[in-house]
Amino acid sequence: MTKDQIFEFFRRLAEDNPAPETELEYGNAYQLVVAVALSAQATDVGVNKATRALFREVETPQAMLALGEDGLKEHIKTIGLFNSKAKNVIALSQLLVDEYGGEVPDTREDLVRLPGVGRKTANVVLNCWFGQETFAVDTHILRVGNRTGLAKGKTPEQVEAKLEKRVPQPFRLGAHHWLILHGRYICKARTPECWRCPVVDLCSYRKKVLEKPKGR
């Protein structure tokens, strides 16, 4: 895509959804860290179902430690890999209490020190809570970046680097939200719904599905 095409790509997505945000539910920075850590290889819908009752009870890392690993498992047992995720959440809560006064740090370097928090999770927290222009590349963004020609790369890190260079203002803060939602609801993995895509003419994907399949 050219610079003009990239600008128009995001302009249309922004016009369609002026205030994009994560579909994960949370009330503060700590709950956001926990929710994103739990969302690895799980859907936002599934995480939200598990965390609604949890977050009514737990708002701080201190409260999570009081709940304990077994108590946490009871809340999140419907989420994949819940045993290892529970262990990580307890460990990251302990680290936050021990080294950060129970507060969530606002740098990527500090966030990735937390057990179960990788670069993608850190980028989500920096973007959604601290308002930093980061690009949290998940499977949806990896797919959309490569399919459309917006940001091609074999790894999330490569796609992130391309987005960092190519996404213009005023779209940088909301870019990863638009791309995730576009991948989740339109540019789907199995059958992209090109027939209703607002940026179909800007996309370089060669196997566009321009007619809605019967029965859909």
Side-chain angles (χ1 to χ4, degrees):
M1 284 191 194
T2 66
K3 285 185 177 180
D4 287 345
Q5 287 175 321
I6 292 172
F7 189 93
E8 179 63 12
F9 181 95
F10 283 107
R11 188 200 67 76
R12 292 184 198 176
L13 295 183
E15 184 178 51
D16 191 50
N17 183 5
E21 54 187 28
T22 178
E23 294 185 320
L24 288 170
E25 298 171 3
Y26 61 94
N28 59 34
Y30 172 68
Q31 290 182 341
L32 176 60
V33 172
V34 173
V36 181
L38 294 176
S39 71
Q41 299 180 47
T43 65
D44 288 0
V45 171
V47 172
N48 290 338
K49 285 181 179 178
T51 57
R52 281 180 194 131
L54 172 67
F55 288 165
R56 284 195 293 269
E57 184 178 346
V58 173
E59 295 184 2
T60 65
Q62 292 89 339
M64 187 67 78
L65 294 174
L67 176 66
E69 189 173 328
D70 289 340
L72 175 57
K73 285 180 182 179
E74 280 301 307
H75 280 283
I76 66 169
K77 60 187 178 184
T78 55
I79 300 175
L81 306 175
F82 73 93
N83 282 312
S84 60
K85 289 178 180 179
K87 186 173 292 186
N88 282 334
V89 168
I90 294 298
L92 73 82
S93 301
Q94 190 68 62
L95 189 62
L96 286 174
V97 170
D98 291 345
E99 298 193 23
Y100 297 97
E103 298 296 320
V104 175
D106 62 356
T107 69
R108 184 183 291 117
E109 291 72 24
D110 284 323
L111 285 167
V112 297
R113 290 187 62 218
L114 303 175
V117 174
R119 187 179 180 89
K120 187 195 82 172
T121 298
N123 281 343
V124 172
V125 175
L126 292 172
N127 181 277
C128 296
W129 189 260
F130 294 106
Q132 296 184 27
E133 294 172 353
T134 58
F135 303 91
V137 179
D138 67 353
T139 54
H140 295 300
I141 294 182
L142 189 68
R143 179 174 67 255
V144 171
N146 278 285
R147 257 192 195 159
T148 61
L150 172 67
K152 291 188 175 183
K154 293 182 179 180
T155 67
E157 291 77 16
Q158 289 174 351
V159 171
E160 181 185 347
K162 292 275 183 69
L163 291 172
E164 189 70 55
K165 288 182 179 179
R166 295 181 177 179
V167 178
Q169 294 291 10
F171 308 115
R172 292 178 67 82
L173 187 61
H176 97 262
H177 295 295
W178 284 310
L179 294 173
I180 287 172
L181 295 171
H182 190 66
R184 186 173 289 164
Y185 297 112
I186 295 179
C187 196
K188 299 177 181 179
R190 291 187 178 179
T191 306
E193 298 182 1
C194 308
W195 66 87
R196 65 184 190 91
C197 175
V199 292
V200 64
D201 58 310
L202 302 172
C203 171
S204 64
Y205 188 50
R206 293 180 179 178
K207 300 178 181 178
K208 292 186 177 78
V209 184
L210 296 174
E211 291 188 12
K212 184 177 180 179
K214 293 180 180 179
R216 296 193 63 163

